[in-house]
Amino acid sequence: MSCMIEGNQTVISEFLLLGLPIPSQYQHLFYALLLAMYLTTVLGNLLIVVLIQLDSHLHTPMYSFLSNLSFSDFCFSSVTMPKLLQNMQSQVPAIPYSGCLTQMYFLLLFGDLESFLLVAMAYDRYVAICFPLHYTSIMSPKLCASLVLLSWVLTTFHAMLHTLLMARLSFCEDNVIPHFFCDMSVLLKLACSDTHVNELVIFITGGIILVIPFVLIIVSYARIVSSILKVPSVRGICKAFSTCGSHVSVVSLFYGTIIGLYLCPSANNSNVKETVLAMMYTAVIPMLNPFIYSLRNRDMKGALDRVICRKKIFFCI
């Protein structure tokens, strides 16, 4: 254990990440699998960001939010996966105290950002289906930029608040984290000073950051369903499904995992369950999002074709 002595108190200078509960004979197999997943996440999400920036046909509110969501997914996965892969090859999977707090900060930042961006995308779909004639005037570039900026400001403040509160705690003896990243709830259990303020702030801000956005998304889709049922038609249902299907899938994956992890605790095999669900929202969901939004999206396929054609013409010249 690496530690420092300040006065009569021993202070932790680094933590040990236990990583994934994988038998040693399967370490290399899972390392290759996780590396492939991370590379897929990076390439898929960056491809979406680049396509949206290069193709003027995609300079719309929906794709502006999607671009920010893809960037957030890329960063969110990059906060944990490189360190996990490094530790799987290391004899001592340690992370410095400052590195642990930094990792926690960016996990909160990009995790919260995804929640806010999903709300903005739900509102965009609500306006597109319920007020199609006024869509352009309502979803103006100014409003879209304001929603994205507000999301970044709120999530930055929230992440910084929890990081500063965590930095005031003392960690004295146990420095083993039974996880593959610096999870805030695990760090609170390891602290040897009073954590009541931290727990109170988590309870209060948790409602603002997770519950309220989830409720707003539910309300948006309730209004969408109500609007469709007023004038039921096969064409309207198909249009709504094609417009909202991808977003509903991402929302279900994201909030389903969060609810399963934090709102449905399990006494049996809790560490294994927490690790599996954490792997879902830090690695699997960011990898799946590009496929969910792109495979059946004609606009994204068209943008890719146009970009490739422009490159061919450029090289021919």
Side-chain angles (χ1 to χ4, degrees), residues 77-230:
S77 184
S78 297
V79 173
T80 58
M81 292 300 288
K83 186 61 180 176
L84 171 60
L85 293 169
Q86 178 190 350
N87 286 346
M88 289 179 73
Q89 299 293 311
S90 173
Q91 297 297 323
V92 183
I95 183 170
Y97 172 80
S98 58
C100 194
L101 289 186
T102 301
Q103 188 183 64
M104 190 193 84
Y105 169 79
F106 284 109
L107 275 171
L108 288 170
L109 172 63
F110 293 113
D112 295 345
L113 183 61
E114 178 148 355
S115 180
F116 277 90
L117 289 173
L118 289 174
V119 175
M121 295 173 77
Y123 179 70
D124 175 74
R125 296 302 84 205
Y126 161 69
V127 175
I129 292 175
C130 298
F131 305 98
L133 299 179
H134 303 283
Y135 177 78
T136 305
S137 58
I138 296 175
M139 297 302 298
S140 62
K142 183 178 180 180
L143 176 62
C144 295
S146 299
L147 289 175
V148 171
L149 179 61
L150 180 63
S151 299
W152 277 95
V153 170
L154 290 177
T155 53
T156 300
F157 171 77
H158 180 249
M160 183 60 70
L161 173 64
H162 283 296
T163 304
L164 292 176
L165 287 174
M166 187 66 69
R168 57 184 279 275
L169 300 180
S170 299
F171 299 89
C172 305
E173 296 181 2
D174 189 4
N175 72 331
V176 178
I177 298 177
H179 221 317
F180 63 92
F181 63 86
C182 294
D183 184 68
M184 182 166 58
S185 60
V186 177
L187 287 175
L188 288 177
K189 293 177 183 178
L190 295 179
C192 57
S193 53
D194 185 29
T195 61
H196 284 93
V197 174
N198 298 67
E199 292 166 358
L200 178 62
V201 173
I202 290 173
F203 179 77
I204 295 173
T205 59
I208 299 174
I209 298 298
L210 289 176
V211 178
I212 292 179
F214 183 64
V215 170
L216 290 175
I217 292 173
I218 296 297
V219 170
S220 296
Y221 279 103
R223 297 292 298 271
I224 289 173
V225 172
S226 175
S227 177
I228 294 171
L229 292 179
K230 288 180 181 178

Side-chain angles (χ1 to χ4, degrees), residues 38 41-42 45-46 69-79 286:
Y38 178 61
T41 301
V42 171
N45 284 289
L46 290 184
L69 182 67
S70 294
F71 177 75
S72 175
D73 281 335
F74 158 68
C75 294
F76 189 50
S77 184
S78 297
V79 173

